[in-house]
Amino acid sequence: MARFIAEMPKAEFHVHLEGTLEAEMKFALARRNGLTLPYADVAAMRRSYVYHDLPSFLAIYYDGMKVLLQEEDFYDLAHAYLAKAASQNILYAEMFFDPQEHLKRGVPMEAVIGGITRARADAEKQFGIQSQLILCFVRDLSAESAMAALDAALPMKQHLVGVGLDSDEKGNPPAKFAAHFAKARAAGLKVTAHCDVNQENTLDHIRQAIVDLKVDRIDHGGNILQSPELIALAKRRDLFFTVCPTFSGRVKSEGQPIDVVRGMLDQGLNVTINSDDPAYMGSEYLNEVLVRAQAQSALTQQELVRIERNAFNAAWISEERRKHFLGKLDSFARTWDVEI
Ligand SMILES: [Zn+2]
């Protein structure tokens, strides 16, 4: 099964570039930028990665990205992720980034988008991996700060494919960003939003993301399994879900906890599997996450192929490119005698 997963052509949609910032690179960037980190070494830094909920994770995550200051830092970050992804047979990735956090430290938007864009072009030439970029609004910062980031990015919108919404959901419902999403859609960008699992008012947030933000995808979204009405709405809209089993694999329910991947598959929802913030989750990238998800949710080879088919169908790419990727997946399935 591990070999099957490793060899399968894959796509990834829910990966935060800042969440791929490995401890080794933090030390290297800190050295380059003349910063001192409060850890003796890489091992000590990794030992500090202890979290019990979303806010405790985010505190470490935002602290970690302070070493990203120059255009070349963003280049190195994106290039390292894309090299790793290509080595795992990921043919295509759409990557999140959180520009507000960088603007706050005085890094210009041009350096952030410029560095990542240069890395995307080089990685495609070097490794054949194709990718696009999704600007995420940091939902626990002000609506004004999010609008300023969007306005700073729109002149470079040719380097973006869409906008998303991430960070601490508590008290920050999707509706807070309705104007931002409308503006992004009017500019021709695609839209997606995090609905983290087991959050306050989660079903209402899922509904707002679908109805008010008019999303094409929901990142996480596992609690939808508690609402037959929302499941029906998601199916009518043909929505895709980017589930990250490491962080959001289980929904707390009154009875037994619900296995999100299994539940979505059984409900006929378009589920995809993604790595989220691999550097902060034991350096488990997509292959490792899929191996874990396969065991956790007892996925068959046929279901794994179905999940990757969903992934290529979720991609914000031309139909011609989609056909090309799906053809590769089909021929892989035939090689392994998996019925498609
Ligand atoms: Zn996420």
Side-chain angles (χ1 to χ4, degrees), residues 14-16 96 166 194 196 219-220 244 276-277:
H14 187 155
V15 59
H16 300 265
F96 293 136
D166 64 9
H194 278 55
D196 272 88
D219 303 308
H220 302 299
C244 307
D276 212 354
D277 299 290

Side-chain angles (χ1 to χ4, degrees), residues 153 312 325:
F312 288 117
F325 287 140

Side-chain angles (χ1 to χ4, degrees), residues 80-304:
Y81 164 70
L82 288 166
K84 178 73 182 178
S87 79
Q88 295 205 339
N89 272 322
I90 296 177
L91 307 184
Y92 176 74
E94 288 170 11
M95 310 169 292
F96 293 136
F97 72 119
D98 288 327
Q100 282 159 277
E101 290 298 323
H102 310 305
L103 295 173
K104 254 176 25 188
R105 296 195 310 279
V107 183
M109 185 68 89
E110 291 74 16
V112 182
I113 294 182
I116 298 170
T117 302
R118 206 157 55 77
R120 287 178 43 221
D122 283 356
E124 181 166 356
K125 265 189 254 145
Q126 291 166 311
F127 318 118
I129 184 169
Q130 299 184 336
S131 62
Q132 298 199 82
L133 194 55
I134 300 172
L135 180 155
C136 276
F137 300 120
V138 177
R139 67 199 309 166
D140 43 339
L141 297 181
S142 70
E144 293 74 27
S145 149
M147 196 55 98
L150 180 61
D151 288 337
L154 280 179
M156 290 170 276
K157 71 174 182 182
Q158 72 273 22
H159 301 307
L160 303 175
V161 69
V163 299
L165 182 63
D166 64 9
S167 200
D168 195 355
E169 189 165 332
K170 194 173 180 200
N172 297 294
K176 175 176 169 186
F177 299 93
H180 308 66
F181 274 65
K183 193 171 190 177
R185 279 190 276 105
L189 296 172
K190 303 283 190 184
V191 293
T192 185
H194 278 55
C195 291
D196 272 88
V197 296
N198 306 324
Q199 298 290 307
E200 246 175 47
N201 305 322
T202 181
L203 295 181
D204 196 32
H205 289 190
I206 293 172
R207 187 189 316 276
Q208 286 179 22
I210 300 174
V211 175
D212 298 335
L213 303 188
K214 299 183 174 59
V215 293
D216 305 296
R217 303 203 290 246
I218 290 182
D219 303 308
H220 302 299
N223 292 84
I224 197 169
L225 295 170
Q226 295 167 315
S227 166
E229 186 208 332
L230 287 176
I231 289 174
L233 178 60
K235 286 169 110 167
R236 266 203 309 282
R237 297 274 182 100
D238 201 23
L239 289 186
F240 290 84
F241 292 83
T242 67
V243 171
C244 307
T246 321
F247 219 49
S248 64
R250 292 204 178 256
V251 163
K252 281 184 214 143
S253 182
E254 320 264 284
Q256 290 282 62
I258 304 171
D259 174 333
V260 172
V261 173
R262 172 54 56 204
M264 285 193 177
L265 276 175
D266 292 350
Q267 288 289 344
L269 291 169
N270 299 321
V271 58
T272 69
I273 292 182
N274 306 267
S275 68
D276 212 354
D277 299 290
Y280 292 94
M281 294 167 184
S283 293
E284 293 198 352
Y285 286 78
L286 188 54
N287 280 353
E288 292 80 35
V289 170
L290 278 164
V291 165
R292 199 182 273 278
Q294 188 280 323
Q296 227 167 47
S297 307
L299 301 173
T300 64
Q301 291 184 339
Q302 201 173 9
E303 286 171 330
L304 286 165

